[in-house]
Amino acid sequence: MPRVADVVIRNALIADGNGGLLTAGDVAIGEGRILTAGAGSAPAGPSTLELDARGELVCSPGFIDVHTHDDAALIRHPGLEFKVAQGCTGLVIGNCGFSGFPATGADDIESVAGADWPDLDGYRAAVTEAGFACNAMALIGHNTIRSITIGRDRPRLATPAERAVMRGHVRRAMEQGACGLSTGLIYTPGKWAPLDEIIELAGAAAEAGGLYASHIRNEGDQLLESVAEAIRIGAESGCRVHISHHKAGGRPNWGKVAGSLAAIDRANAAGADVTLDFYPYIASSGPMAEYVSPESVTGEWADQNQFATCPPFPAYQGRTVSAVASDEGLALPDLVRRVLTAPGGRRTISIGFGMSEDDLVTNVRHPLMMVGSDGIPDLDGLPHPRLYGTFPRIFAEYVRGRGEISVGEAVRRMTSLPADRFGLMGRGRLAPGARADVVVFDPATIRDVATFAEPKREPEGVHWVIVNGAVTVDRGRHTGARAGRLLRHRAAEGG
Ligand SMILES: [Zn+2]
């Protein structure tokens, strides 16, 4: 007797996550797992829900966003509409050295007001009680543990005792199911950490099979040196390496991503284990206070950067720093000082246009390149459109538009490659027994519609999204389901 399925997707083009050609067939889901996937494989008996893909829609594993800043969003925005609307069923949190645990009490994007959890288990209990819509896998952030241990604004080396405390945080996080350690070596206080501190902490992650994910020290003039540093950290710590949002910022550096990828290829050929992610936009975004000060602001920077979220001056949002300064009749240093010293001014997020379209193409061609939105889920302002558009944009621009990669290959980069790399066991492939994280989308129409002027617009062409067997997007609409789980690294069950 065939099992009765909860959901059957009939007449689909199946992208199984392994990167090959699409095949026609059906996908059946029951009890939170894939029952069958393939031609004529679905049970004939009645299922609770039948979805018709009309021979046109692709059914694939749900996408995994490997670079998010959604640690606080799991609580603040538990529907994660900006993610599931793109077809994402999995997120990696804790990036760029900032994680939502241990709680710091700081007023920043990864922190939740009133949070007091001391570790990943405490964070897991809090987010699980509230419920959220996507699966998540956590990195522990170096900036976070350095802030707690030494202080955020202490530009000095760690003492041996402080290093032992930080190592303890990493070990505990790994025991509690983190997938590794992240750094953000341009940010406070990570930028004060010398190479040997990072090697020691990455070593603690490596002991438990973890990953070292890095926002490297410099993504512009010293891109190649910074990639070399990440490779060296991997070699000396024994830790696998993942380079976050690979890019070359600043016109004089355009094209360097090719040299960077070549260096990574050479290292991997010689025994290293390095992967990457990128997002498909020529603009970056982050906390303005980390990039500029009244002393350092230049006219060029002010022309290329705009306000995304500016809590003290919402009227500035969506406009360049130059334009605002001109309208306010202020010199650039005075405007920057006004914004950053106002109450809430440190929460200002800026967007900077500094990358080349050609470098995005170079990135997307690389077989170890995953997709990470780097979206900042601050919905009060005008966030970078990558928050809502990253995954559909890959299909619209690089699969359909430029033909750089196939649908099956794009799906592989978004599913099995990150699932294997970040230890989301039993996910990332449409195979019998796998967890039922599934997306059904139209390869002919899927596209991002979020723009820099109107960034909070959900994409088109994503029809159904299923998380742990629960229909979370139904015909493009969020159902309110919150079936996500905070997963444990490489854990078959409990994952
Ligand atoms: Zn970063």
Side-chain angles (χ1 to χ4, degrees):
M1 278 286 289
R3 285 174 71 178
V4 175
D6 298 327
V7 181
V8 175
I9 300 142
R10 296 199 190 274
N11 306 312
L13 300 168
I14 298 174
D16 65 6
N18 290 317
L21 295 174
L22 309 186
T23 57
D26 310 323
V27 175
I29 293 166
E31 294 172 3
R33 293 182 188 267
I34 306 294
L35 298 177
T36 63
S41 70
S47 61
T48 310
L49 179 63
E50 299 259 339
L51 310 179
D52 184 3
R54 309 186 309 266
E56 296 169 358
L57 307 183
V58 171
C59 181
S60 80
F63 307 144
I64 299 169
D65 186 344
V66 299
H67 194 94
T68 84
H69 294 288
D70 289 336
D71 302 54
L74 296 193
I75 291 174
R76 285 189 193 142
H77 309 293
L80 297 164
E81 289 80 1
F82 43 85
K83 283 290 147 65
V84 291
Q86 297 183 54
C88 292
T89 60
L91 318 171
V92 177
I93 59 175
N95 279 288
C96 298
F98 299 103
S99 54
F101 66 94
T104 62
D107 180 29
D108 59 39
I109 193 74
E110 270 78 16
S111 298
V112 176
D116 61 355
W117 44 78
D119 53 18
L120 176 53
D121 274 354
Y123 172 78
R124 179 182 285 110
V127 299
T128 302
E129 185 182 322
F132 52 97
C134 278
N135 294 312
M137 177 64 76
L139 292 155
I140 184 165
H142 170 246
N143 290 322
T144 302
I145 59 175
R146 203 177 204 273
S147 290
I148 284 182
T149 307
I150 301 177
R152 191 179 171 282
D153 297 306
R154 299 275 169 82
R156 65 167 173 81
L157 301 179
T159 65
E162 287 164 344
R163 282 208 188 182
V165 171
M166 290 193 280
R167 224 168 40 234
H169 280 300
V170 175
R171 288 213 176 102
R172 190 159 161 194
M174 295 303 301
E175 285 165 15
Q176 295 178 355
C179 64
L181 171 74
S182 80
T183 56
L185 299 178
I186 69 161
Y187 294 123
T188 307
K191 62 187 176 190
W192 296 315
L195 180 64
D196 59 336
E197 175 180 323
I198 309 296
I199 290 170
E200 185 175 341
L201 298 178
E207 287 165 11
L211 189 71
Y212 171 67
S214 184
H215 178 152
I216 57 178
R217 226 174 264 277
N218 185 292
E219 297 178 317
D221 296 346
Q222 278 91 48
L223 172 65
L224 300 181
E225 294 85 342
S226 300
V227 166
E229 183 190 50
I231 293 170
R232 183 171 168 198
I233 289 166
E236 298 197 12
S237 68
C239 205
R240 298 175 295 133
V241 174
H242 184 84
I243 293 175
S244 302
H245 42 59
H246 185 240
K247 66 166 85 67
R251 183 178 288 269
N253 300 307
W254 290 359
K256 281 188 182 175
V257 295
S260 169
L261 291 172
I264 290 165
D265 288 341
R266 281 195 302 275
N268 282 341
D273 187 356
V274 183
T275 53
L276 317 92
D277 66 68
F278 89 120
Y279 51 81
Y281 295 87
I282 58 166
S284 58
S285 182
M288 190 169 157
E290 296 280 2
Y291 305 127
V292 77
S293 68
E295 294 73 35
S296 70
V297 65
T298 65
E300 186 186 15
W301 189 89
D303 288 344
Q304 291 172 353
N305 283 266
Q306 65 184 51
F307 292 96
T309 303
C310 187
F313 303 102
Y316 295 175
Q317 290 166 182
R319 303 169 65 209
T320 66
V321 175
S322 308
V324 171
S326 163
D327 280 7
E328 297 280 21
L330 288 173
L332 290 173
D334 295 330
L335 174 65
V336 170
R337 188 175 296 109
R338 170 192 277 189
V339 168
L340 295 183
T341 59
R346 305 284 300 183
R347 288 188 65 96
T348 299
I349 306 288
S350 58
I351 293 172
F353 291 82
M355 290 176 260
S356 92
E357 190 64 52
D358 287 348
D359 283 356
L360 300 182
V361 173
T362 303
N363 267 331
V364 82
R365 286 177 180 158
H366 197 281
L368 296 177
M369 186 65 64
M370 303 175 206
V371 181
S373 71
D374 204 6
I376 300 173
D378 193 339
L379 304 182
D380 293 334
L382 293 177
H384 189 305
R386 66 193 183 185
L387 179 64
Y388 281 81
T390 291
F391 285 77
R393 187 172 177 82
I394 295 288
F395 290 101
E397 294 290 323
Y398 302 102
V399 177
R400 219 167 44 238
R402 294 169 182 262
E404 293 292 343
I405 54 174
S406 67
V407 171
E409 175 64 4
V411 167
R412 181 185 73 84
R413 305 276 200 85
M414 299 170 178
T415 59
S416 66
L417 185 65
D420 293 350
R421 190 64 173 168
F422 288 87
L424 287 79
M425 295 292 285
R427 302 177 193 271
R429 290 179 182 81
L430 288 186
R435 302 280 181 169
D437 293 343
V438 174
V439 57
V440 180
F441 64 94
D442 188 336
T445 64
I446 185 171
R447 71 180 187 110
D448 56 305
V449 294
T451 64
F452 288 92
E454 289 186 83
K456 290 179 278 190
R457 298 174 67 196
E458 293 185 358
E460 295 174 354
V462 177
H463 291 235
W464 286 285
V465 181
I466 296 171
V467 180
N468 291 319
V471 178
T472 305
V473 171
D474 182 9
R475 294 172 186 80
R477 296 205 168 259
H478 201 300
T479 63
R482 293 186 190 178
R485 292 179 202 149
L486 184 51
L487 307 176
R488 291 171 190 274
H489 184 229
R490 292 181 171 170
E493 296 305 323

